[in-house]
Amino acid sequence: MTTYVEAIQKSLVLPLEKVANKVFTQKYNPLYYHGALPNLFLWALFLTGLLLLVYYQATLSTAYASMKYITYQAPFGNAIRSIHRYAADGMMIFVLIHLFRVWFTDRYREYRIIPWISGIVLFTVLFLVGLTGYMLIWDQDAVALTNVTINLLRSFPVIGTGLAGFMLATDLSGSSLITDYTITRMLVLHLGIPLLMMFLLWWHYLRITRPVTDAPLALVLMMVGGLLLVAGAAPVVLGDMAPPDFAVVAKSIHLDGLYAWPQQLALAGWNMGVIWLMVLAVPVGLFVLPYLQKKALRGQFARVVADNCTGCSLCYNDCPYEAITMVDRNDGSRFKRLATVNPEHCANCGLCVGACAFKAIDIPRCESKDVLAEIEAALAGQSLASA
Amino acid sequence: MMATETLSVNAAPPAEALPPIRLIGLVCERSVELEDRLNADGRLLDDPSVKIILVPCSGIIQPLMMETSLKNGAQGCFATGCRIGDCHYREGNKFLQERLLGQRMPKLKPTVDKRRIEAYWLSAVEYDEFRELIESFQSTVSSIPAS
Ligand code: HEM
Ligand code: SF4
Ligand code: SF4
């Protein structure tokens, strides 16, 4: 029975990939570097972000002025700002491609549950990085974004006031205000969460042997070239400064569609409860997805024939999901170590079988001796072609 | 299993008419889709001299399996995996490719006639490309003079 994932893979993913192979060639197909490209954009963001930080000032009275300086006066200021902005868009786009690709090629469940769950966390915090970045600009759009975000947070049941409190300070009369602390905290999040992401990526790769984190040079140059081209063709502009009596009027405000869509909906007058349901449905939905599909191969994993294993470690080196450990043996064998499979990690893929020259490891669904027997049976009784 | 023992409903020619098996193909079940293109013996309907054995991933294929095919009289043996870069298990096709090129243990024996060994990297939707490659492999192996 074909699942919806298989149907989408055959009708959409593979034909698209075939086109991409024609355009980019197999070796440089971006779809084959779906995990490496978000990494590339992350580094581009780190680098340009660091340069922006040289001039940025995180206080209410100076933030906008420092952005103005970066945009109009600092050497290469607006170029770096534009690259930072478009790299953020690229990051979200390639993370989405990565997410949909692992989902629709069925690479997101069972023994891959750790990268999937950690991926959802990475995806969620990426939004926070983007949103806080947009607030730091402190032009009219940024002030509007901040106000709408505070209202959205306030509307959250029970803990809403507390959530909004993180963005506000309380004055002597007890009323909540946007102060210097608001901007400082946004900056702390905007810098701190990417650091957290480095830890999350360690979690992401925990069960992946040799994760492909780097794209080939030609593809890197293509992506960087594209980034420079877009930044050059459409440099970002700084909005007007928000007047002291600034009232958020929907039609004069421009918010980013990739990161600030909940705020866009709020500006468009949507019910806050509905927006929150939509926001929460994303991670929760992604979380339950793997459990909606029936397990492919329940309880199957690779088995080692202890008598044949020489402890050569070839299977251990080649296992793509960190499922094999080499353990010391004291069962009287003349070999020192024995390959041992962790059933929870095993993908039942058979790469260890291809690696073993001693017929010492097999997966139940395709035993190597059966393959050899089938070859011999098929050719039995035929004259030798090359003899 | 002998070719004369079972006969698929799909297979047009009667059992006696089936040619001898010339090629053995070890094919990943996720790469080029052959499920509906094989007879009950696993021979390719479009070219019954090709016997296909489906495996879960091209990474499971041992060079020994390909050597065994030639030793037992096949004129050629090919492996088929997904496009390099798109292995479902991340690295299986790349590892097999390296084994066949002699860059990864266990390697193909150096004494094996390399003209009789091929590997193709194709996605599930690339059957036409697969057919072309098999045809050209057929003509290559048939032009090798018997030694
Ligand atoms: C900061 C963003 C992210 C980065 C830099 C990243 C990077 C990577 C890399 C390098 C790999 C290894 C690919 C390979 O070698 O086969 C990987 C695998 C994976 N990622 Fe991500 N990822 C990110 C976000 C996500 C998200 C949002 C999801 C989904 C919710 C996700 C789900 C997965 C899964 C399931 C795998 C395992 C794929 C497999 O085993 O074939 N990742 N990721
Ligand atoms: S089948 Fe072998 S190579 Fe594949 S995950 Fe399991 S132990 Fe590792
Ligand atoms: S490759 Fe085979 S012999 Fe070597 S450690 Fe693994 S199971 Fe043992």
Side-chain angles (χ1 to χ4, degrees):
Chain A
M1 202 185 66
T2 27
T3 61
Y4 80 98
V5 169
E6 284 166 354
I8 292 175
Q9 180 173 19
K10 290 225 170 85
S11 60
L12 201 74
V13 179
L14 291 174
L16 202 81
E17 201 174 303
K18 201 171 162 178
V19 175
N21 274 326
K22 293 235 162 72
V23 178
F24 295 97
T25 74
Q26 174 179 291
K27 197 168 166 201
Y28 301 113
N29 188 339
L31 293 173
Y32 297 159
Y33 296 95
H34 53 105
L37 292 176
N39 270 295
L40 174 66
F41 283 94
L42 197 58
W43 289 116
L45 287 163
F46 270 128
L47 187 70
T48 49
L50 199 67
L51 292 172
L52 291 175
L53 211 53
V54 173
Y55 291 108
Y56 185 73
Q57 297 183 2
T59 69
L60 272 190
S61 51
T62 57
Y64 181 80
S66 68
M67 284 308 294
K68 209 166 171 176
Y69 185 81
I70 287 170
T71 310
Y72 298 113
Q73 274 164 297
F76 301 107
N78 205 34
I80 290 164
R81 199 189 147 203
S82 301
I83 296 169
H84 195 71
R85 166 77 62 87
Y86 289 119
D89 288 338
M91 178 80 190
M92 183 53 92
I93 290 168
F94 280 97
V95 165
L96 284 170
I97 290 175
H98 177 54
L99 189 162
F100 282 115
R101 185 166 175 85
V102 294
W103 178 4
F104 291 128
T105 54
D106 203 357
R107 295 170 195 172
Y108 71 109
R109 56 203 181 103
E110 298 179 33
Y111 51 91
R112 290 173 169 110
I113 201 69
I114 285 189
W116 180 252
I117 302 286
S118 57
I120 298 169
V121 180
L122 277 161
F123 187 50
T124 309
V125 299
L126 181 61
F127 274 96
L128 299 182
V129 183
L131 286 172
T132 50
Y134 276 110
M135 290 174 191
L136 292 177
I137 303 167
W138 215 243
D139 62 359
Q140 244 182 43
D141 292 341
V143 175
L145 178 68
T146 307
N147 278 296
V148 175
T149 304
I150 289 169
N151 288 342
L152 258 177
L153 290 174
R154 274 205 181 112
S155 76
F156 199 90
V158 188
I159 56 168
T161 319
L163 286 178
F166 185 72
M167 296 180 66
L168 299 166
T170 314
D171 70 359
L172 288 176
S173 65
S175 51
S176 302
L177 299 170
I178 290 176
T179 67
D180 283 347
Y181 286 122
T182 308
I183 296 200
T184 311
R185 284 178 194 167
M186 294 312 105
L187 184 64
V188 167
L189 289 181
H190 192 66
L191 301 178
I193 295 172
L195 287 181
L196 173 72
M197 284 173 80
M198 300 320 274
F199 164 74
L200 292 173
L201 282 173
W202 167 79
W203 181 25
H204 201 55
Y205 303 151
L206 200 58
R207 292 283 169 75
I208 302 179
T209 320
R210 295 171 290 272
V212 181
T213 52
D214 304 309
L217 185 63
L219 190 55
V220 171
L221 293 177
M222 217 165 1
M223 289 291 153
V224 173
L227 206 52
L228 292 177
L229 213 68
V230 182
V236 294
V237 290
L238 187 62
D240 291 335
M241 194 172 165
D245 57 346
F246 181 58
V248 178
V249 185
K251 67 176 184 317
S252 59
I253 298 299
H254 305 284
L255 298 183
D256 183 272
L258 286 173
Y259 289 93
W261 58 267
Q263 287 84 346
Q264 272 186 340
L265 295 178
L267 266 180
W270 284 49
N271 177 295
M272 300 259 184
V274 174
I275 297 174
W276 270 116
L277 283 179
M278 291 171 69
V279 168
L280 294 176
V282 176
V284 173
L286 290 173
F287 183 82
V288 297
L289 269 179
Y291 305 100
L292 298 180
Q293 266 194 286
K294 257 219 312 281
K295 277 198 176 182
L297 294 157
R298 191 181 293 268
Q300 285 196 17
F301 55 90
R303 311 261 178 174
V304 178
V305 183
D307 287 345
N308 292 357
C309 178
T310 66
C312 73
S313 299
L314 288 178
C315 59
Y316 163 80
N317 290 337
D318 282 5
C319 173
Y321 287 103
E322 308 269 15
I324 298 180
T325 39
M326 301 301 301
V327 297
D328 292 334
R329 67 195 289 180
N330 44 14
D331 55 356
S333 164
R334 63 199 173 96
F335 299 110
K336 288 200 180 66
R337 296 187 307 154
L338 175 69
T340 308
V341 177
N342 181 337
E344 292 297 315
H345 300 192
C346 180
N348 206 18
C349 65
L351 264 61
C352 48
V353 183
C356 183
F358 302 97
K359 301 194 173 84
I361 194 162
D362 260 308
I363 56 170
R365 61 173 162 154
C366 180
E367 299 219 357
S368 50
K369 67 173 181 342
D370 295 340
V371 175
L372 289 169
E374 194 173 348
I375 293 170
E376 282 162 8
L379 295 167
Q382 287 191 194
S383 60
L384 294 187
S386 47
Chain B
M1 201 188 322
M2 289 294 294
T4 41
E5 278 173 19
T6 39
L7 183 62
S8 148
V9 209
N10 300 327
E16 304 75 56
L18 283 179
I21 289 169
R22 284 152 41 94
L23 301 182
I24 298 278
L26 298 162
V27 178
C28 161
E29 62 188 16
R30 292 180 189 264
S31 72
V32 59
E33 197 172 351
L34 298 179
E35 250 171 51
D36 304 327
R37 299 184 184 276
L38 304 179
N39 78 5
D41 296 338
R43 290 173 181 235
L44 205 58
L45 289 177
D46 286 338
D47 181 352
S49 74
V50 180
K51 154 81 179 168
I52 302 288
I53 298 172
L54 293 175
V55 294
C57 173
S58 60
I60 199 175
I61 298 169
Q62 300 166 328
L64 176 70
M65 294 169 182
M66 305 190 82
E67 290 158 9
T68 304
S69 301
L70 297 188
K71 211 174 74 197
N72 284 272
Q75 293 189 355
C77 179
F78 63 88
T80 307
C82 299
R83 289 259 175 191
I84 302 287
D86 189 40
C87 177
H88 188 77
Y89 300 106
R90 302 190 51 250
E91 307 184 300
N93 53 5
K94 203 179 72 194
F95 287 171
L96 174 64
Q97 187 181 42
E98 289 173 7
R99 290 197 171 100
L100 297 181
L101 293 173
Q103 298 162 353
R104 191 176 200 89
M105 295 289 287
K107 302 170 184 174
L108 198 64
K109 275 209 191 82
T111 50
V112 169
D113 186 347
K114 296 287 185 327
R115 293 170 298 179
R116 298 183 186 278
I117 300 283
E118 271 291 356
Y120 308 119
W121 317 112
L122 297 166
S123 86
V125 294
E126 295 180 309
Y127 180 71
D128 294 342
E129 289 85 342
F130 176 75
R131 275 285 288 150
E132 262 173 47
L133 290 163
I134 298 302
E135 256 170 51
S136 103
F137 191 31
Q138 287 277 26
S139 63
T140 308
V141 291
S142 59
S143 71
I144 301 174
S147 51

